[in-house]
Amino acid sequence: MSNNIAIGTPVRTQAIINRYFMHAKKNLGQNFLVDLDAIKGIVKAADITKNDQVIEIGPGIGSLTEQLLLAGAKVLAYEVDQDLPEILHNELPQTIEGQELDQRFKLVMKDVLKADFEKDTAGFLDLNKPIKIVANLPYYITTPIIFDLIKSDLNFVSLTLMMQKEVAERLTAAPKTKAYGPLTLAVQSRMHVKYALDVKSTSFMPRPKVDSAVVVLSPLVQKPDISDYKYFDHVVKIAFAQRRKTLSNNLKTFIADKDEREKLITDLGLDLRVRPEELTLDQFIALSKALASRQA
Ligand code: SAM
């Protein structure tokens, strides 16, 4: 069923909910976007242009999917709610720029954390060409999804993700701020991160209890000098174990002897009273290298 009122509006979303006797499933993090400005803001942040290949995570009833398709993208979407295929196939536009919906949209009914991108996209997307990932994420799996995608061999040019505002602030935080911590450094050491836009809770149906924001992650042009990410993440975690204490205090786990510890810190050009949140990414990289070479 085609309709010229966008899915991402309160009136159309309510009509779909009524027509299919559906309800938003809390356990799947279902908060549907009903604000066309916010949806278009996501499409713009993702820089979607004609013939872009998009992987969408969690299309829901298709509010974002519809605007991605109308912006010219070919969309492959992962979804887990078995009630949604019928709705998506009926409610999304049946023809887009003269093409049938099937030529432009493919639904994969699978948990994205179990995706086999090569297999799932075969015959529909060309993984040798750029892929943009776009999602209004279920908030409870935001960070596992980000790290899963970073670790995957999927050659994506950007990840445009709606998430809880507090998580967006942590991902994009600068040193010496409250939001700066292990999650910031884990992500910023692997990806370029940009805060794109805020989205009010009134933009969703049902309204979530928290505010939301959109973040765009893209591969770093210059890879940082980190040979062992597992060790780097571990150092950061230990350094922040007690964030109110000094770096020196937190590093007791690595170096019990105070003099040795203080020498390592001053050799890095750092003040002995420095707190973990004052260190930049480069300083954490240098710290991690210095600790690793002591163990070698
Ligand atoms: N994109 C829609 C929108 O913006 O209105 C719906 C977004 S809603 C916040 C999240 C969607 O992700 C839901 O449709 C939910 O069923 C789906 N979902 C939840 N867990 C998932 C998973 N592990 N893999 C794929 N989709 C998932």
PDB file of all heavy atoms in Angstrom, residues 27-34 56-65 78-81 84 110-113 135-141 145 162 204, ligand 1:
ATOM      1  N   ASN A  27      11.387  -4.673  24.469  1.00  0.00           N
ATOM      2  CA  ASN A  27      12.580  -5.529  24.579  1.00  0.00           C
ATOM      3  C   ASN A  27      13.447  -5.496  23.322  1.00  0.00           C
ATOM      4  O   ASN A  27      14.582  -5.932  23.332  1.00  0.00           O
ATOM      5  CB  ASN A  27      12.185  -6.974  24.925  1.00  0.00           C
ATOM      6  CG  ASN A  27      11.353  -7.610  23.828  1.00  0.00           C
ATOM      7  OD1 ASN A  27      10.602  -6.927  23.121  1.00  0.00           O
ATOM      8  ND2 ASN A  27      11.481  -8.912  23.651  1.00  0.00           N
ATOM      9  N   LEU A  28      12.911  -4.962  22.223  1.00  0.00           N
ATOM     10  CA  LEU A  28      13.713  -4.826  20.994  1.00  0.00           C
ATOM     11  C   LEU A  28      14.132  -3.372  20.775  1.00  0.00           C
ATOM     12  O   LEU A  28      14.628  -3.012  19.709  1.00  0.00           O
ATOM     13  CB  LEU A  28      12.925  -5.341  19.774  1.00  0.00           C
ATOM     14  CG  LEU A  28      12.624  -6.844  19.749  1.00  0.00           C
ATOM     15  CD1 LEU A  28      11.802  -7.216  18.519  1.00  0.00           C
ATOM     16  CD2 LEU A  28      13.925  -7.651  19.753  1.00  0.00           C
ATOM     17  N   GLY A  29      13.906  -2.559  21.795  1.00  0.00           N
ATOM     18  CA  GLY A  29      14.324  -1.147  21.712  1.00  0.00           C
ATOM     19  C   GLY A  29      13.554  -0.385  20.650  1.00  0.00           C
ATOM     20  O   GLY A  29      14.112   0.492  19.990  1.00  0.00           O
ATOM     21  N   GLN A  30      12.273  -0.736  20.471  1.00  0.00           N
ATOM     22  CA  GLN A  30      11.521  -0.088  19.390  1.00  0.00           C
ATOM     23  C   GLN A  30      10.963   1.283  19.782  1.00  0.00           C
ATOM     24  O   GLN A  30      10.022   1.399  20.555  1.00  0.00           O
ATOM     25  CB  GLN A  30      10.380  -1.007  18.924  1.00  0.00           C
ATOM     26  CG  GLN A  30      10.923  -2.232  18.197  1.00  0.00           C
ATOM     27  CD  GLN A  30       9.842  -3.132  17.639  1.00  0.00           C
ATOM     28  OE1 GLN A  30       8.660  -2.980  17.948  1.00  0.00           O
ATOM     29  NE2 GLN A  30      10.231  -4.088  16.810  1.00  0.00           N
ATOM     30  N   ASN A  31      11.583   2.324  19.235  1.00  0.00           N
ATOM     31  CA  ASN A  31      11.064   3.691  19.333  1.00  0.00           C
ATOM     32  C   ASN A  31      11.096   4.206  17.907  1.00  0.00           C
ATOM     33  O   ASN A  31      12.170   4.406  17.351  1.00  0.00           O
ATOM     34  CB  ASN A  31      11.957   4.559  20.227  1.00  0.00           C
ATOM     35  CG  ASN A  31      11.995   4.054  21.659  1.00  0.00           C
ATOM     36  OD1 ASN A  31      12.928   3.361  22.049  1.00  0.00           O
ATOM     37  ND2 ASN A  31      10.981   4.378  22.435  1.00  0.00           N
ATOM     38  N   PHE A  32       9.926   4.350  17.314  1.00  0.00           N
ATOM     39  CA  PHE A  32       9.875   4.693  15.898  1.00  0.00           C
ATOM     40  C   PHE A  32       9.970   6.200  15.688  1.00  0.00           C
ATOM     41  O   PHE A  32       9.334   6.985  16.407  1.00  0.00           O
ATOM     42  CB  PHE A  32       8.579   4.140  15.270  1.00  0.00           C
ATOM     43  CG  PHE A  32       8.445   2.651  15.437  1.00  0.00           C
ATOM     44  CD1 PHE A  32       7.330   2.088  16.048  1.00  0.00           C
ATOM     45  CD2 PHE A  32       9.449   1.805  14.995  1.00  0.00           C
ATOM     46  CE1 PHE A  32       7.212   0.712  16.210  1.00  0.00           C
ATOM     47  CE2 PHE A  32       9.351   0.420  15.154  1.00  0.00           C
ATOM     48  CZ  PHE A  32       8.227  -0.122  15.762  1.00  0.00           C
ATOM     49  N   LEU A  33      10.733   6.601  14.692  1.00  0.00           N
ATOM     50  CA  LEU A  33      10.890   8.025  14.392  1.00  0.00           C
ATOM     51  C   LEU A  33       9.637   8.563  13.712  1.00  0.00           C
ATOM     52  O   LEU A  33       9.170   8.003  12.714  1.00  0.00           O
ATOM     53  CB  LEU A  33      12.094   8.219  13.460  1.00  0.00           C
ATOM     54  CG  LEU A  33      13.441   8.382  14.155  1.00  0.00           C
ATOM     55  CD1 LEU A  33      14.580   8.184  13.166  1.00  0.00           C
ATOM     56  CD2 LEU A  33      13.542   9.747  14.835  1.00  0.00           C
ATOM     57  N   VAL A  34       9.106   9.655  14.260  1.00  0.00           N
ATOM     58  CA  VAL A  34       7.904  10.266  13.664  1.00  0.00           C
ATOM     59  C   VAL A  34       8.152  11.763  13.410  1.00  0.00           C
ATOM     60  O   VAL A  34       7.247  12.576  13.513  1.00  0.00           O
ATOM     61  CB  VAL A  34       6.654  10.067  14.565  1.00  0.00           C
ATOM     62  CG1 VAL A  34       6.224   8.612  14.584  1.00  0.00           C
ATOM     63  CG2 VAL A  34       6.909  10.562  15.994  1.00  0.00           C
ATOM     64  N   GLU A  56      21.089  -0.806   6.542  1.00  0.00           N
ATOM     65  CA  GLU A  56      20.373  -0.213   7.673  1.00  0.00           C
ATOM     66  C   GLU A  56      20.175  -1.272   8.747  1.00  0.00           C
ATOM     67  O   GLU A  56      19.890  -2.432   8.441  1.00  0.00           O
ATOM     68  CB  GLU A  56      18.992   0.337   7.235  1.00  0.00           C
ATOM     69  CG  GLU A  56      18.329   1.102   8.379  1.00  0.00           C
ATOM     70  CD  GLU A  56      16.879   1.509   8.150  1.00  0.00           C
ATOM     71  OE1 GLU A  56      16.319   1.261   7.064  1.00  0.00           O
ATOM     72  OE2 GLU A  56      16.297   2.059   9.097  1.00  0.00           O
ATOM     73  N   ILE A  57      20.340  -0.861   9.988  1.00  0.00           N
ATOM     74  CA  ILE A  57      20.109  -1.798  11.099  1.00  0.00           C
ATOM     75  C   ILE A  57      18.797  -1.422  11.756  1.00  0.00           C
ATOM     76  O   ILE A  57      18.626  -0.274  12.175  1.00  0.00           O
ATOM     77  CB  ILE A  57      21.267  -1.737  12.116  1.00  0.00           C
ATOM     78  CG1 ILE A  57      22.595  -2.008  11.408  1.00  0.00           C
ATOM     79  CG2 ILE A  57      21.034  -2.731  13.256  1.00  0.00           C
ATOM     80  CD1 ILE A  57      23.805  -1.579  12.224  1.00  0.00           C
ATOM     81  N   GLY A  58      17.870  -2.376  11.816  1.00  0.00           N
ATOM     82  CA  GLY A  58      16.592  -2.155  12.479  1.00  0.00           C
ATOM     83  C   GLY A  58      15.693  -1.151  11.773  1.00  0.00           C
ATOM     84  O   GLY A  58      15.485  -0.046  12.261  1.00  0.00           O
ATOM     85  N   PRO A  59      15.120  -1.509  10.615  1.00  0.00           N
ATOM     86  CA  PRO A  59      14.262  -0.564   9.885  1.00  0.00           C
ATOM     87  C   PRO A  59      12.928  -0.276  10.573  1.00  0.00           C
ATOM     88  O   PRO A  59      12.272   0.714  10.234  1.00  0.00           O
ATOM     89  CB  PRO A  59      14.025  -1.263   8.539  1.00  0.00           C
ATOM     90  CG  PRO A  59      14.195  -2.719   8.840  1.00  0.00           C
ATOM     91  CD  PRO A  59      15.242  -2.795   9.903  1.00  0.00           C
ATOM     92  N   GLY A  60      12.530  -1.128  11.528  1.00  0.00           N
ATOM     93  CA  GLY A  60      11.236  -0.907  12.197  1.00  0.00           C
ATOM     94  C   GLY A  60      10.120  -0.938  11.182  1.00  0.00           C
ATOM     95  O   GLY A  60      10.027  -1.869  10.363  1.00  0.00           O
ATOM     96  N   ILE A  61       9.265   0.094  11.167  1.00  0.00           N
ATOM     97  CA  ILE A  61       8.174   0.120  10.185  1.00  0.00           C
ATOM     98  C   ILE A  61       8.590   0.934   8.939  1.00  0.00           C
ATOM     99  O   ILE A  61       7.771   1.208   8.075  1.00  0.00           O
ATOM    100  CB  ILE A  61       6.853   0.649  10.782  1.00  0.00           C
ATOM    101  CG1 ILE A  61       7.024   2.080  11.312  1.00  0.00           C
ATOM    102  CG2 ILE A  61       6.337  -0.278  11.876  1.00  0.00           C
ATOM    103  CD1 ILE A  61       5.685   2.741  11.690  1.00  0.00           C
ATOM    104  N   GLY A  62       9.855   1.341   8.888  1.00  0.00           N
ATOM    105  CA  GLY A  62      10.384   1.895   7.634  1.00  0.00           C
ATOM    106  C   GLY A  62      10.486   3.407   7.532  1.00  0.00           C
ATOM    107  O   GLY A  62      10.707   3.925   6.439  1.00  0.00           O
ATOM    108  N   SER A  63      10.371   4.112   8.665  1.00  0.00           N
ATOM    109  CA  SER A  63      10.386   5.584   8.561  1.00  0.00           C
ATOM    110  C   SER A  63      11.702   6.122   8.000  1.00  0.00           C
ATOM    111  O   SER A  63      11.701   7.001   7.134  1.00  0.00           O
ATOM    112  CB  SER A  63      10.069   6.227   9.911  1.00  0.00           C
ATOM    113  OG  SER A  63      10.622   5.485  10.952  1.00  0.00           O
ATOM    114  N   LEU A  64      12.829   5.577   8.468  1.00  0.00           N
ATOM    115  CA  LEU A  64      14.130   6.010   7.963  1.00  0.00           C
ATOM    116  C   LEU A  64      14.408   5.357   6.599  1.00  0.00           C
ATOM    117  O   LEU A  64      14.905   6.007   5.672  1.00  0.00           O
ATOM    118  CB  LEU A  64      15.200   5.641   9.005  1.00  0.00           C
ATOM    119  CG  LEU A  64      16.660   5.943   8.717  1.00  0.00           C
ATOM    120  CD1 LEU A  64      16.859   7.412   8.368  1.00  0.00           C
ATOM    121  CD2 LEU A  64      17.517   5.578   9.929  1.00  0.00           C
ATOM    122  N   THR A  65      14.042   4.090   6.483  1.00  0.00           N
ATOM    123  CA  THR A  65      14.249   3.350   5.225  1.00  0.00           C
ATOM    124  C   THR A  65      13.624   4.091   4.048  1.00  0.00           C
ATOM    125  O   THR A  65      14.245   4.244   2.994  1.00  0.00           O
ATOM    126  CB  THR A  65      13.561   1.957   5.323  1.00  0.00           C
ATOM    127  OG1 THR A  65      13.707   1.453   6.634  1.00  0.00           O
ATOM    128  CG2 THR A  65      14.111   0.994   4.292  1.00  0.00           C
ATOM    129  N   TYR A  78      18.763  -5.124   8.204  1.00  0.00           N
ATOM    130  CA  TYR A  78      18.694  -6.240   9.159  1.00  0.00           C
ATOM    131  C   TYR A  78      17.605  -5.948  10.181  1.00  0.00           C
ATOM    132  O   TYR A  78      17.585  -4.867  10.773  1.00  0.00           O
ATOM    133  CB  TYR A  78      20.024  -6.388   9.916  1.00  0.00           C
ATOM    134  CG  TYR A  78      21.112  -6.994   9.084  1.00  0.00           C
ATOM    135  CD1 TYR A  78      21.981  -6.184   8.358  1.00  0.00           C
ATOM    136  CD2 TYR A  78      21.261  -8.380   8.996  1.00  0.00           C
ATOM    137  CE1 TYR A  78      22.986  -6.742   7.573  1.00  0.00           C
ATOM    138  CE2 TYR A  78      22.256  -8.939   8.215  1.00  0.00           C
ATOM    139  CZ  TYR A  78      23.111  -8.120   7.507  1.00  0.00           C
ATOM    140  OH  TYR A  78      24.094  -8.678   6.744  1.00  0.00           O
ATOM    141  N   GLU A  79      16.743  -6.915  10.400  1.00  0.00           N
ATOM    142  CA  GLU A  79      15.667  -6.743  11.387  1.00  0.00           C
ATOM    143  C   GLU A  79      15.427  -8.091  12.072  1.00  0.00           C
ATOM    144  O   GLU A  79      15.698  -9.150  11.489  1.00  0.00           O
ATOM    145  CB  GLU A  79      14.395  -6.239  10.681  1.00  0.00           C
ATOM    146  CG  GLU A  79      13.170  -5.993  11.546  1.00  0.00           C
ATOM    147  CD  GLU A  79      13.407  -5.050  12.727  1.00  0.00           C
ATOM    148  OE1 GLU A  79      13.605  -3.829  12.554  1.00  0.00           O
ATOM    149  OE2 GLU A  79      13.392  -5.578  13.863  1.00  0.00           O
ATOM    150  N   VAL A  80      14.940  -8.053  13.314  1.00  0.00           N
ATOM    151  CA  VAL A  80      14.679  -9.302  14.032  1.00  0.00           C
ATOM    152  C   VAL A  80      13.187  -9.514  14.332  1.00  0.00           C
ATOM    153  O   VAL A  80      12.774 -10.633  14.635  1.00  0.00           O
ATOM    154  CB  VAL A  80      15.469  -9.382  15.368  1.00  0.00           C
ATOM    155  CG1 VAL A  80      16.928  -9.673  15.124  1.00  0.00           C
ATOM    156  CG2 VAL A  80      15.287  -8.129  16.194  1.00  0.00           C
ATOM    157  N   ASP A  81      12.387  -8.469  14.249  1.00  0.00           N
ATOM    158  CA  ASP A  81      10.972  -8.585  14.617  1.00  0.00           C
ATOM    159  C   ASP A  81      10.176  -9.200  13.460  1.00  0.00           C
ATOM    160  O   ASP A  81      10.003  -8.583  12.403  1.00  0.00           O
ATOM    161  CB  ASP A  81      10.444  -7.183  14.965  1.00  0.00           C
ATOM    162  CG  ASP A  81       8.997  -7.204  15.419  1.00  0.00           C
ATOM    163  OD1 ASP A  81       8.335  -8.262  15.283  1.00  0.00           O
ATOM    164  OD2 ASP A  81       8.520  -6.150  15.901  1.00  0.00           O
ATOM    165  N   LEU A  84       7.460  -7.507  11.249  1.00  0.00           N
ATOM    166  CA  LEU A  84       7.737  -6.354  10.399  1.00  0.00           C
ATOM    167  C   LEU A  84       7.856  -6.606   8.884  1.00  0.00           C
ATOM    168  O   LEU A  84       7.553  -5.688   8.109  1.00  0.00           O
ATOM    169  CB  LEU A  84       8.974  -5.607  10.915  1.00  0.00           C
ATOM    170  CG  LEU A  84       8.748  -4.967  12.295  1.00  0.00           C
ATOM    171  CD1 LEU A  84      10.028  -4.368  12.828  1.00  0.00           C
ATOM    172  CD2 LEU A  84       7.666  -3.897  12.231  1.00  0.00           C
ATOM    173  N   LYS A 110      17.556 -11.154  10.523  1.00  0.00           N
ATOM    174  CA  LYS A 110      18.679 -11.714  11.279  1.00  0.00           C
ATOM    175  C   LYS A 110      19.180 -10.674  12.271  1.00  0.00           C
ATOM    176  O   LYS A 110      19.157  -9.470  11.994  1.00  0.00           O
ATOM    177  CB  LYS A 110      19.776 -12.028  10.276  1.00  0.00           C
ATOM    178  CG  LYS A 110      20.880 -12.911  10.756  1.00  0.00           C
ATOM    179  CD  LYS A 110      22.008 -12.932   9.751  1.00  0.00           C
ATOM    180  CE  LYS A 110      22.028 -14.184   8.913  1.00  0.00           C
ATOM    181  NZ  LYS A 110      23.250 -14.279   8.099  1.00  0.00           N
ATOM    182  N   ASP A 111      19.631 -11.145  13.407  1.00  0.00           N
ATOM    183  CA  ASP A 111      20.304 -10.268  14.382  1.00  0.00           C
ATOM    184  C   ASP A 111      21.570  -9.732  13.709  1.00  0.00           C
ATOM    185  O   ASP A 111      22.408 -10.522  13.247  1.00  0.00           O
ATOM    186  CB  ASP A 111      20.657 -11.144  15.602  1.00  0.00           C
ATOM    187  CG  ASP A 111      21.436 -10.392  16.664  1.00  0.00           C
ATOM    188  OD1 ASP A 111      21.911  -9.274  16.382  1.00  0.00           O
ATOM    189  OD2 ASP A 111      21.593 -10.953  17.766  1.00  0.00           O
ATOM    190  N   VAL A 112      21.730  -8.424  13.659  1.00  0.00           N
ATOM    191  CA  VAL A 112      22.882  -7.837  12.968  1.00  0.00           C
ATOM    192  C   VAL A 112      24.202  -8.305  13.599  1.00  0.00           C
ATOM    193  O   VAL A 112      25.223  -8.377  12.923  1.00  0.00           O
ATOM    194  CB  VAL A 112      22.781  -6.300  12.925  1.00  0.00           C
ATOM    195  CG1 VAL A 112      22.957  -5.693  14.306  1.00  0.00           C
ATOM    196  CG2 VAL A 112      23.795  -5.707  11.946  1.00  0.00           C
ATOM    197  N   LEU A 113      24.158  -8.664  14.884  1.00  0.00           N
ATOM    198  CA  LEU A 113      25.380  -9.135  15.536  1.00  0.00           C
ATOM    199  C   LEU A 113      25.791 -10.514  15.004  1.00  0.00           C
ATOM    200  O   LEU A 113      26.887 -10.980  15.263  1.00  0.00           O
ATOM    201  CB  LEU A 113      25.209  -9.181  17.061  1.00  0.00           C
ATOM    202  CG  LEU A 113      25.002  -7.816  17.732  1.00  0.00           C
ATOM    203  CD1 LEU A 113      24.649  -7.972  19.196  1.00  0.00           C
ATOM    204  CD2 LEU A 113      26.246  -6.943  17.588  1.00  0.00           C
ATOM    205  N   ALA A 135      21.644   3.767  11.002  1.00  0.00           N
ATOM    206  CA  ALA A 135      20.725   3.102  11.925  1.00  0.00           C
ATOM    207  C   ALA A 135      20.220   4.007  13.028  1.00  0.00           C
ATOM    208  O   ALA A 135      20.956   4.849  13.539  1.00  0.00           O
ATOM    209  CB  ALA A 135      21.419   1.907  12.580  1.00  0.00           C
ATOM    210  N   ASN A 136      18.951   3.818  13.340  1.00  0.00           N
ATOM    211  CA  ASN A 136      18.396   4.315  14.594  1.00  0.00           C
ATOM    212  C   ASN A 136      18.462   3.092  15.495  1.00  0.00           C
ATOM    213  O   ASN A 136      17.620   2.211  15.412  1.00  0.00           O
ATOM    214  CB  ASN A 136      16.967   4.806  14.359  1.00  0.00           C
ATOM    215  CG  ASN A 136      16.229   5.092  15.659  1.00  0.00           C
ATOM    216  OD1 ASN A 136      16.834   5.175  16.717  1.00  0.00           O
ATOM    217  ND2 ASN A 136      14.913   5.247  15.560  1.00  0.00           N
ATOM    218  N   LEU A 137      19.507   3.018  16.283  1.00  0.00           N
ATOM    219  CA  LEU A 137      19.835   1.773  16.978  1.00  0.00           C
ATOM    220  C   LEU A 137      18.963   1.472  18.180  1.00  0.00           C
ATOM    221  O   LEU A 137      18.537   2.395  18.877  1.00  0.00           O
ATOM    222  CB  LEU A 137      21.275   1.843  17.487  1.00  0.00           C
ATOM    223  CG  LEU A 137      22.394   1.783  16.479  1.00  0.00           C
ATOM    224  CD1 LEU A 137      23.735   1.881  17.201  1.00  0.00           C
ATOM    225  CD2 LEU A 137      22.343   0.497  15.682  1.00  0.00           C
ATOM    226  N   PRO A 138      18.749   0.162  18.410  1.00  0.00           N
ATOM    227  CA  PRO A 138      18.202  -0.207  19.721  1.00  0.00           C
ATOM    228  C   PRO A 138      19.291   0.135  20.735  1.00  0.00           C
ATOM    229  O   PRO A 138      20.428  -0.318  20.601  1.00  0.00           O
ATOM    230  CB  PRO A 138      18.002  -1.714  19.610  1.00  0.00           C
ATOM    231  CG  PRO A 138      18.540  -2.148  18.281  1.00  0.00           C
ATOM    232  CD  PRO A 138      19.061  -0.975  17.541  1.00  0.00           C
ATOM    233  N   TYR A 139      18.974   0.991  21.710  1.00  0.00           N
ATOM    234  CA  TYR A 139      20.022   1.560  22.562  1.00  0.00           C
ATOM    235  C   TYR A 139      20.820   0.528  23.351  1.00  0.00           C
ATOM    236  O   TYR A 139      21.987   0.722  23.621  1.00  0.00           O
ATOM    237  CB  TYR A 139      19.422   2.623  23.498  1.00  0.00           C
ATOM    238  CG  TYR A 139      18.954   3.839  22.741  1.00  0.00           C
ATOM    239  CD1 TYR A 139      18.025   4.714  23.260  1.00  0.00           C
ATOM    240  CD2 TYR A 139      19.452   4.095  21.474  1.00  0.00           C
ATOM    241  CE1 TYR A 139      17.599   5.826  22.542  1.00  0.00           C
ATOM    242  CE2 TYR A 139      19.034   5.198  20.745  1.00  0.00           C
ATOM    243  CZ  TYR A 139      18.111   6.055  21.281  1.00  0.00           C
ATOM    244  OH  TYR A 139      17.709   7.134  20.558  1.00  0.00           O
ATOM    245  N   TYR A 140      20.155  -0.595  23.678  1.00  0.00           N
ATOM    246  CA  TYR A 140      20.868  -1.562  24.527  1.00  0.00           C
ATOM    247  C   TYR A 140      21.994  -2.279  23.797  1.00  0.00           C
ATOM    248  O   TYR A 140      22.814  -2.937  24.438  1.00  0.00           O
ATOM    249  CB  TYR A 140      19.876  -2.576  25.131  1.00  0.00           C
ATOM    250  CG  TYR A 140      19.170  -3.418  24.098  1.00  0.00           C
ATOM    251  CD1 TYR A 140      19.606  -4.700  23.796  1.00  0.00           C
ATOM    252  CD2 TYR A 140      18.074  -2.919  23.392  1.00  0.00           C
ATOM    253  CE1 TYR A 140      18.969  -5.462  22.834  1.00  0.00           C
ATOM    254  CE2 TYR A 140      17.440  -3.664  22.434  1.00  0.00           C
ATOM    255  CZ  TYR A 140      17.891  -4.928  22.152  1.00  0.00           C
ATOM    256  OH  TYR A 140      17.260  -5.678  21.184  1.00  0.00           O
ATOM    257  N   ILE A 141      22.038  -2.184  22.462  1.00  0.00           N
ATOM    258  CA  ILE A 141      23.166  -2.841  21.776  1.00  0.00           C
ATOM    259  C   ILE A 141      24.033  -1.852  20.981  1.00  0.00           C
ATOM    260  O   ILE A 141      24.748  -2.249  20.066  1.00  0.00           O
ATOM    261  CB  ILE A 141      22.743  -4.027  20.876  1.00  0.00           C
ATOM    262  CG1 ILE A 141      21.532  -3.686  20.007  1.00  0.00           C
ATOM    263  CG2 ILE A 141      22.552  -5.286  21.655  1.00  0.00           C
ATOM    264  CD1 ILE A 141      21.277  -4.743  18.917  1.00  0.00           C
ATOM    265  N   ILE A 145      27.324  -3.193  18.770  1.00  0.00           N
ATOM    266  CA  ILE A 145      27.195  -3.054  17.317  1.00  0.00           C
ATOM    267  C   ILE A 145      28.379  -2.253  16.756  1.00  0.00           C
ATOM    268  O   ILE A 145      28.984  -2.638  15.762  1.00  0.00           O
ATOM    269  CB  ILE A 145      25.846  -2.398  16.928  1.00  0.00           C
ATOM    270  CG1 ILE A 145      24.715  -3.404  17.127  1.00  0.00           C
ATOM    271  CG2 ILE A 145      25.857  -1.915  15.478  1.00  0.00           C
ATOM    272  CD1 ILE A 145      23.338  -2.905  16.750  1.00  0.00           C
ATOM    273  N   MET A 162      22.071   6.733  15.279  1.00  0.00           N
ATOM    274  CA  MET A 162      21.310   7.421  16.332  1.00  0.00           C
ATOM    275  C   MET A 162      21.506   6.615  17.608  1.00  0.00           C
ATOM    276  O   MET A 162      21.405   5.381  17.606  1.00  0.00           O
ATOM    277  CB  MET A 162      19.835   7.402  15.965  1.00  0.00           C
ATOM    278  CG  MET A 162      18.968   7.792  17.118  1.00  0.00           C
ATOM    279  SD  MET A 162      18.422   9.458  17.018  1.00  0.00           S
ATOM    280  CE  MET A 162      17.257   9.302  15.729  1.00  0.00           C
ATOM    281  N   PHE A 204       9.970  10.621  18.652  1.00  0.00           N
ATOM    282  CA  PHE A 204       9.769   9.172  18.588  1.00  0.00           C
ATOM    283  C   PHE A 204       8.381   8.767  19.084  1.00  0.00           C
ATOM    284  O   PHE A 204       7.773   9.462  19.889  1.00  0.00           O
ATOM    285  CB  PHE A 204      10.781   8.454  19.496  1.00  0.00           C
ATOM    286  CG  PHE A 204      12.221   8.701  19.159  1.00  0.00           C
ATOM    287  CD1 PHE A 204      12.892   9.786  19.701  1.00  0.00           C
ATOM    288  CD2 PHE A 204      12.917   7.845  18.318  1.00  0.00           C
ATOM    289  CE1 PHE A 204      14.227  10.017  19.418  1.00  0.00           C
ATOM    290  CE2 PHE A 204      14.248   8.068  18.020  1.00  0.00           C
ATOM    291  CZ  PHE A 204      14.902   9.154  18.573  1.00  0.00           C
TER     292      PHE A 204
HETATM  293  N1  SAM B   1      14.487   2.534  12.069  1.00  0.00           N
HETATM  294  C1  SAM B   1      13.211   2.601  12.750  1.00  0.00           C
HETATM  295  C2  SAM B   1      12.887   4.044  13.069  1.00  0.00           C
HETATM  296  O1  SAM B   1      13.839   4.843  13.054  1.00  0.00           O
HETATM  297  O2  SAM B   1      11.741   4.358  13.340  1.00  0.00           O
HETATM  298  C3  SAM B   1      13.161   1.736  14.014  1.00  0.00           C
HETATM  299  C4  SAM B   1      14.238   2.013  15.039  1.00  0.00           C
HETATM  300  S1  SAM B   1      14.046   1.157  16.577  1.00  0.00           S
HETATM  301  C5  SAM B   1      14.899   2.248  17.669  1.00  0.00           C
HETATM  302  C6  SAM B   1      15.204  -0.182  16.500  1.00  0.00           C
HETATM  303  C7  SAM B   1      14.871  -1.326  15.531  1.00  0.00           C
HETATM  304  O3  SAM B   1      15.920  -2.307  15.597  1.00  0.00           O
HETATM  305  C8  SAM B   1      13.585  -2.074  15.847  1.00  0.00           C
HETATM  306  O4  SAM B   1      12.807  -2.222  14.695  1.00  0.00           O
HETATM  307  C9  SAM B   1      14.061  -3.450  16.378  1.00  0.00           C
HETATM  308  O5  SAM B   1      13.139  -4.485  16.120  1.00  0.00           O
HETATM  309  C10 SAM B   1      15.367  -3.623  15.623  1.00  0.00           C
HETATM  310  N2  SAM B   1      16.351  -4.486  16.290  1.00  0.00           N
HETATM  311  C11 SAM B   1      16.503  -4.724  17.624  1.00  0.00           C
HETATM  312  N3  SAM B   1      17.526  -5.559  17.855  1.00  0.00           N
HETATM  313  C12 SAM B   1      18.069  -5.837  16.637  1.00  0.00           C
HETATM  314  C13 SAM B   1      19.163  -6.668  16.214  1.00  0.00           C
HETATM  315  N4  SAM B   1      19.900  -7.348  17.087  1.00  0.00           N
HETATM  316  N5  SAM B   1      19.432  -6.751  14.879  1.00  0.00           N
HETATM  317  C14 SAM B   1      18.667  -6.064  13.965  1.00  0.00           C
HETATM  318  N6  SAM B   1      17.617  -5.273  14.323  1.00  0.00           N
HETATM  319  C15 SAM B   1      17.336  -5.164  15.633  1.00  0.00           C
END
